[in-house]
Amino acid sequence: MNKNFENLAARAAPAIFVVLWSTGFIGTKYVLRDAEPLTYLTIRMILVVGLLAIIAAIARPRWPNWFGVGHSVVAGILVHGFYLGGTAVAIAHSIPAGLSALIPGLQPILTSTLANRWLGERVTPLQWMGLLIGLAGVVLILHGRPMGGEAGWGWLASGVSLVSITLGTLYQRQYCGGIDWRAGNLIQYIAVAIFFATGAWLFESNVVHWTTEFVLSVIWLAVVLSIGSIGLLYWLIRRSAATSVASLFYLVPAVTALMAYVLFGERLDPVSIAGMVACAAAVFLVNRLARA
């Protein structure tokens, strides 16, 4: 029974991760109506640190040595700091929620190259084909979008998110795989809270409108995203090759765009839909071959 449940959980985990990760872009659009990006992220991280501190106090996990603490700080700044910061800044600069996931959605291309050279993971020619199909799908979704002015700064911030989440995923797999997730995540989020608080103090007004929508969105982003989906991501990283895990991010733009269409009325044209189908096909091809 336990073995069957474990197998079911392993099969369902990627789909659950994609849906949860996609809600992060939607939730960010809601909270940015009432606070600036780094200010909101500081509040979110303080809440996350408090919750993880309670979990760690109850579970009493084994804490890493100073080298492990250092690796956790670096991974946290990459996976949470620059990635979340870049995404929030992108949406704040008029990038629609349904499109803010697109540039980070290129992560599998970059991860495949780096994983091949850094981690020694073999990427087959057919897997490369799948990754390129996914890239073509993202290009289709991007067609006809404005790339200059305020939107240009938004796309630049998304580019920062792409690089940081790619390096963070590989760094986490290489140096933090043996660290208890409760201890490691708490260290990471403390570092990121300081990172965001410093940025908010230096560059923002720190004004917050404490609406019901803001409070509920922050709670969702802190509990479900920063604890639930990040924990699931690290679990997937430990169980799968970096290329296979990264390929899940191809599905995030399509799922996010669908949510944004329902919630915000963001446009879904036939070419964009074709791009989403190509992304889904790429994920299937890469993951299928990775398990073969």
Side-chain angles (χ1 to χ4, degrees), residues 250-262:
Y250 272 140
L251 284 175
V252 172
V255 176
T256 302
L258 181 60
M259 292 180 180
Y261 174 75
V262 173

Side-chain angles (χ1 to χ4, degrees), residues 92-109:
H93 281 77
S94 303
I95 301 299
L99 302 181
S100 61
L102 290 174
I103 297 299
L106 296 171
Q107 183 203 6
I109 301 296

Side-chain angles (χ1 to χ4, degrees), residues 89 97 101 106 185 232 277:
V89 169
L106 296 171
N185 278 2
L232 184 57
V277 172

Side-chain angles (χ1 to χ4, degrees), residues 72-147:
S72 294
V73 169
V74 173
I77 295 298
L78 290 171
V79 173
H80 309 298
F82 285 107
Y83 173 73
L84 291 176
T87 298
V89 169
I91 295 176
H93 281 77
S94 303
I95 301 299
L99 302 181
S100 61
L102 290 174
I103 297 299
L106 296 171
Q107 183 203 6
I109 301 296
L110 192 55
T111 298
S112 296
T113 303
L114 294 179
N116 180 266
R117 296 180 180 275
W118 187 8
L119 301 181
E121 294 180 4
R122 181 173 177 269
V123 183
T124 68
L126 285 177
Q127 281 182 289
W128 278 114
M129 181 183 298
L131 294 168
L132 291 174
I133 291 172
L135 174 62
V138 173
V139 170
L140 285 174
I141 299 172
L142 277 174
H143 84 285
R145 308 292 182 184
M147 301 297 290

Side-chain angles (χ1 to χ4, degrees), residues 60-64 179-180 182-183:
R60 297 184 180 180
R62 180 180 179 181
W63 294 89
I179 299 174
D180 186 285
R182 294 157 295 192

Side-chain angles (χ1 to χ4, degrees), residues 201-219:
W201 179 68
L202 289 173
F203 303 113
E204 297 181 351
S205 66
N206 308 130
V207 174
V208 178
H209 302 289
W210 294 94
T211 63
T212 301
E213 182 180 89
F214 176 82
V215 171
L216 292 177
S217 296
V218 168
I219 291 173

